[in-house]
Amino acid sequence: MSSLTFSSSPHVHGGDSIPKVMHTVIAALMPATLLSVGLFGFPALLVIVITTAACMVTEFIANALRGRPSTLHDGSAALTGILLALTLPPHSPWWICVVGGVFAIGVGKQVYGGLGYNMFNPALIARVFLLISFPVELTTWPEVSPIIGDNAFSFMQSLSIIFSGDYGSAAMDTITAATPLGHYKTEMGLGRTVHEALMTTFGFDYINAASGEMGGSLGETSAILLLGGGLYMIHKKLIGWHIPAAMLAGCLLPAAIMWLVNGDKYPDPLFHLLTGGLILGAFFMATDMVTSPVTPRGQIIFGAGCGFLTYVIRTWTGYPEGVSFAVVIMNCAVPLIDQYTRPVVYGKSKRAKENA
């Protein structure tokens, strides 16, 4: 007679693992990441490499200090580094990349106990920290300078830009420009209409915005490729549709209402969709499994809150972009959302749940 083995659940494994999930998300990000390098050249590549390396080194040191085995193989630190790099300007100084990477892993993740215990998305809490602490470096946006072409920076020039801030003979004000969201915010403060602010004085083009040919963070490059990567993750069942759909609706619905009320003052929803980090945040940031609600109803509430706060911050605060702040704020509300959206245990009444 064969022996029986008793063990606790689960008894069936779906085949997913942390490394598999992380590597699939990285693969989904690659098309937009490579395009950002193509559009902004070697400086962008250096920003991505330095930020990712800073995250991985910090992860290794933190685990060593805590006497735990290395977790570099699972890809979570590398993914945090890539996501953080995509929220940074393409010519960010090397020390911004290092400080951000150390903060993301050291404070955003390891202080809470490591992967699975963090309260905030590590990349976004680091982005918020950098923006508050170093606003000049985080709001200096270079013009698009493709890796191949007459205006391309050589690798040696790129090293000089990232490590010493030296642009050589090129004047700083000839290679930097405002983002569409930043320009809109500034011009509206001068009393101009949306058309004057975006079309007349900026030359905003929806096709260029969709393809990524505009200034901004590395992750604002291509709405089309980011959307494709997000849909790929939904297809692979790594994320559900609830958070991305609710976040996009939470931002675009109020944008549509305000645009219909006063189109001279408020841009249309397509402008909000194609500019800034809304798509990156909706598919790759807010859907973090650790820092988002577990129930579909809770995920919809969470996503809608992220989207609505993004629109409020973009429209009525001093910051032209609000995705990072919105997701971090809603991360704080996740325990409360889970508390009030958890399903009733089979066989028990709602009153029993409320008294639990």
Side-chain angles (χ1 to χ4, degrees), residues 33-46 48 91 143-158:
T33 303
L34 293 176
L35 178 64
S36 69
V37 174
L39 290 174
F40 292 100
F42 287 115
L45 179 62
L46 290 172
I48 295 171
H91 292 186
E143 293 267 18
V144 172
S145 54
I147 196 168
I148 299 175
D150 296 336
N151 298 324
F153 294 106
S154 68
F155 185 71
M156 296 307 295
Q157 285 178 308
S158 302

Side-chain angles (χ1 to χ4, degrees), residues 31-199:
T33 303
L34 293 176
L35 178 64
S36 69
V37 174
L39 290 174
F40 292 100
F42 287 115
L45 179 62
L46 290 172
V47 168
I48 295 171
V49 170
I50 295 171
T51 307
T52 304
C55 286
M56 296 180 70
V57 170
T58 306
E59 177 94 344
F60 179 81
I61 294 174
N63 281 323
L65 292 176
R66 300 175 64 192
R68 293 187 172 185
S70 172
T71 54
L72 292 182
H73 67 282
D74 67 19
S76 61
L79 176 59
T80 298
I82 295 172
L83 286 173
L84 175 59
L86 292 179
T87 69
L88 299 178
H91 292 186
S92 295
W94 68 271
W95 56 270
I96 283 285
C97 305
V98 172
V99 171
V102 171
F103 192 92
I105 298 297
V107 179
K109 180 180 176 182
Q110 292 293 342
V111 162
Y112 294 95
L115 183 64
Y117 298 96
N118 48 296
M119 182 175 180
F120 303 101
N121 183 301
L124 285 184
I125 196 68
R127 155 77 178 177
V128 169
F129 166 74
L130 290 174
L131 182 59
I132 294 174
S133 304
F134 311 104
V136 175
E137 288 77 8
L138 266 288
T139 53
T140 302
W141 312 103
E143 293 267 18
V144 172
S145 54
I147 196 168
I148 299 175
D150 296 336
N151 298 324
F153 294 106
S154 68
F155 185 71
M156 296 307 295
Q157 285 178 308
S158 302
L159 287 174
S160 179
I161 291 170
I162 298 301
F163 285 94
S164 67
D166 182 9
Y167 283 83
S169 59
M172 186 68 178
D173 57 359
T174 62
I175 56 177
T176 59
T179 65
L181 285 169
H183 188 79
Y184 157 74
K185 178 76 73 175
T186 301
E187 293 296 302
M188 294 307 291
L190 300 175
R192 293 194 170 89
T193 65
V194 171
H195 186 272
E196 291 172 340
L198 296 179
M199 303 305 177

